[in-house]
Amino acid sequence: MSKLRVQSFAMSIDGYGAGPHQDLQHPLGVNGPELMEWFFNTRVWRRMHGQADGEVGIDNSMAERGFAGIGAWILGRNMFGPVRGPWPDDSWKGWWGDEPPYHTPVFVLTHHARAPLKMAGGTEFRFVTAGIHAALEQATAAAGGGDVRLGGGVATIRQYLQAALVDELHLAIRPVLLGSGEQLLQGLDLRALGYACVEHVAGERATHVVLRKR
Ligand SMILES: NC(=O)c1ccc[n+]([C@@H]2O[C@H](COP(=O)([O-])OP(=O)(O)OC[C@H]3O[C@@H](n4cnc5c(N)ncnc54)[C@H](OP(=O)(O)O)[C@@H]3O)[C@@H](O)[C@H]2O)c1
């Protein structure tokens, strides 16, 4: 059965999954890139950016796992871009250039309808205004038996956790303090929702923790 998986989601020690004041210059919010520093040296990341090198340790193997068996993605609108409110036009096509790294259908949750957007390399952004359950149904159907990866951001993951729809949550916990931004787990009783830690391993630049729904 198709699973809903959060993979490689970086969190600071103080619980933030993004910094404050997201905008065009700060896609991850102010200081947000400190969350992702575990990922930037991996072979997975370097290959995504056309480089043949990169480290192949624990961080890399955890990142690799996140792409295995994925048939579709779900994103929140803020992860897709900095545009807020009604779309002024169709010019914003994501942060990732002409060929985004998804290579599958990607369902973007938003309150503002927009026509689907086909990109090079098999990525198609489809905008879903009917809520998290509809997005999951559509993504599961599109995944063709594969799993659905819940890419983020924070508000989107929180909704799926609160509804206990996430089957597996891999957090890359970074040894940094953000101080402010988007809190990932605050106010969510994951234990009562049925989650437990099934794996933890220290990587080169992050500690990896996997939670699974019982
Ligand atoms: N730490 C990591 O590894 C990681 C990974 C990915 C992303 N991020 C970061 O996370 C940040 C984005 O997270 P975020 O919490 O600000 O926002 P988000 O979850 O990406 O998007 C939230 C927005 O999506 C739309 N949305 C969400 N749920 C909806 C629903 N049920 N129905 C309709 N629309 C819905 C709404 O947009 P509208 O109302 O405007 O349509 C909402 O404001 C970015 O800085 C990104 O870089 C971090």
Side-chain angles (χ1 to χ4, degrees), residues 73-80 96 102 106-110 125 149-153 156:
W73 288 65
I74 297 173
L75 310 183
R77 196 257 184 107
N78 296 358
M79 180 170 168
F80 177 69
W96 307 277
Y102 301 105
V106 178
F107 295 83
V108 180
L109 275 163
T110 176
F125 294 112
R149 181 160 164 184
L150 184 56
T156 298

Side-chain angles (χ1 to χ4, degrees), residues 5-10 38 59 62-63 65-66 168-173 207-211:
R5 290 159 47 194
V6 177
Q7 300 275 174
S8 298
F9 200 85
W38 73 274
D59 288 345
M62 294 304 287
R65 266 164 62 168
E168 196 168 295
L169 172 73
H170 160 218
L171 295 176
I173 301 173
T207 297
H208 300 273
V209 169
V210 179
L211 307 182

Side-chain angles (χ1 to χ4, degrees), residues 4-6 150 157 160-161 164-169 195 213:
L4 182 62
R5 290 159 47 194
V6 177
L150 184 56
I157 292 175
Y160 280 101
L161 283 173
L165 290 170
V166 175
D167 293 294
E168 196 168 295
L169 172 73
Y195 292 92
K213 200 173 65 176

Side-chain angles (χ1 to χ4, degrees), residues 39-120:
F39 191 34
F40 296 147
N41 295 294
T42 61
R43 187 175 64 183
V44 171
W45 170 271
R46 302 283 296 165
R47 284 196 173 161
M48 280 164 63
H49 293 84
Q51 309 294 323
D53 59 350
E55 296 175 6
V56 290
I58 289 167
D59 288 345
N60 185 69
S61 61
M62 294 304 287
E64 265 176 355
R65 266 164 62 168
F67 290 95
I70 300 296
W73 288 65
I74 297 173
L75 310 183
R77 196 257 184 107
N78 296 358
M79 180 170 168
F80 177 69
V83 183
R84 303 290 186 266
W87 304 99
D89 52 44
D90 283 345
S91 58
W92 181 262
K93 295 183 175 168
W95 299 105
W96 307 277
D98 292 338
E99 188 169 345
Y102 301 105
H103 311 294
T104 68
V106 178
F107 295 83
V108 180
L109 275 163
T110 176
H111 292 99
H112 302 280
R114 184 171 163 181
L117 188 58
K118 263 194 172 44
M119 307 294 289

